Amino acid sequence: MYREVIAKIVELGNTLPAICGSVMDVGQNKQWLTEKEVEIEEALVNLIKTFHGEHFFYAEESHREFVERESIWIIDSISNTTNFIHGMPHYSIVLSHLLKGEVNFAVVYDPSNKELFTAEKGKGSFLNNKKMRVSSRKEDIFCMVGPYFTPPRIYREKALAVINKLSDAGITVRIVGSLALHYSYVACGRADAAVSFNEDTFPEFAGKLLVEEAGGKFTDFDGGVLNNETVGVIATNGLVHEQIKNIVKSVV
């Protein structure tokens, strides 16, 4: 089942680089939406519906209401549509499977770099089928921070305050785009931490499993467990988690 999902995501993702930067924003109820996102979500939903059993969906375009069920598939058909529309090669397709309330499977695919991040509960995290591990750094911390500056981002002032505090603490900060890839970079050790004032939780469930299966830590700003209503997450290698959390909490 999961292999079929991965294959479909890679197939769909590989159609994106050729049109990145040349697609139109067709959003009416929200800014930044492309027909390609609707197409990807529909294709994944249709595939999953062929699997045995009853499946439900929590997805950004057509299934935005979270309903507690035994099997929930969480889909972000393009994580960072803004980058995709503007031709920036930092976006991804994201999917996770919530089984009996636990994240059991996750995939983040970056088609621009042909990087496939996957994780399955209790089996580890992988980048292109090679096992990943979070970094072991405690100093010279490299932190990914989410993009909050496209209006009407409601967390802009708090995000800027967090960025300033992180920088004042000597932490290197990078803002690239796709939150799902930020979490993936923590999982594979490229970054030591990621801080996000998330406006939804579509990429967060996948990020949680990728980071935790790679040996890291993933919580809300208070150190609590992720849920569908969480606003504000911290993903780290575990070693710097309290440090990052304390900085964030000092201004949030």
Side-chain angles (χ1 to χ4, degrees), residues 16-17 20 43-44 49-50 53 128 144 151 157 176 186 194 202 210:
L16 298 179
C20 176
L44 291 171
K49 283 181 176 178
T50 67
N128 292 343
M144 311 298 297
E157 290 185 6
V176 188
V186 173
F202 299 111
L210 285 167

Side-chain angles (χ1 to χ4, degrees), residues 70-167:
E70 182 171 307
S71 174
I72 305 171
W73 297 81
I74 303 170
I75 302 168
D76 190 352
S77 47
I78 296 183
S79 173
N80 206 301
T81 309
T82 310
N83 278 359
F84 178 59
I85 289 174
H86 288 85
M88 282 283 292
H90 198 272
Y91 55 89
S92 58
I93 299 178
V94 191
L95 177 144
S96 57
H97 186 205
L98 206 59
L99 192 61
K100 297 180 180 178
E102 295 287 333
V103 190
N104 195 60
F105 168 75
V107 55
V108 174
Y109 183 50
D110 173 3
S112 300
N113 292 305
K114 296 291 191 293
E115 290 192 330
L116 178 68
F117 300 88
T118 58
E120 195 169 345
K121 186 72 173 177
K123 297 183 179 180
S125 290
F126 299 84
L127 169 54
N128 292 343
N129 296 318
K130 292 184 179 179
K131 198 158 189 177
M132 296 190 295
R133 190 72 187 170
V134 294
S135 74
S136 58
R137 286 184 291 270
K138 297 181 182 179
E139 299 177 349
D140 298 322
I141 299 169
F142 191 99
C143 182
M144 311 298 297
V145 181
Y148 312 109
F149 311 114
T150 304
R153 301 300 194 209
I154 60 176
Y155 304 110
R156 183 177 184 276
E157 290 185 6
K158 288 183 178 180
L160 286 170
V162 168
I163 290 169
N164 287 334
K165 278 285 188 177
L166 290 169
S167 297

Side-chain angles (χ1 to χ4, degrees), residues 19-90:
I19 60 173
C20 176
S22 63
V23 293
M24 298 293 294
D25 176 18
V26 297
Q28 295 179 2
N29 297 324
K30 68 170 191 175
Q31 190 179 26
W32 310 132
L33 171 67
T34 68
E35 291 180 353
K36 199 67 179 177
E37 285 167 274
V38 177
E39 176 187 320
I40 289 170
E41 183 177 307
E42 186 176 274
L44 291 171
V45 167
N46 288 340
L47 170 63
I48 292 164
K49 283 181 176 178
T50 67
F51 300 155
H52 177 74
E54 192 173 22
H55 301 280
F56 295 84
F57 302 92
Y58 177 51
E60 187 164 16
E61 310 313 333
S62 302
H63 303 79
R64 292 187 66 88
E65 183 179 356
F66 185 92
V67 181
E68 292 284 354
R69 292 291 189 272
E70 182 171 307
S71 174
I72 305 171
W73 297 81
I74 303 170
I75 302 168
D76 190 352
S77 47
I78 296 183
S79 173
N80 206 301
T81 309
T82 310
N83 278 359
F84 178 59
I85 289 174
H86 288 85
M88 282 283 292
H90 198 272

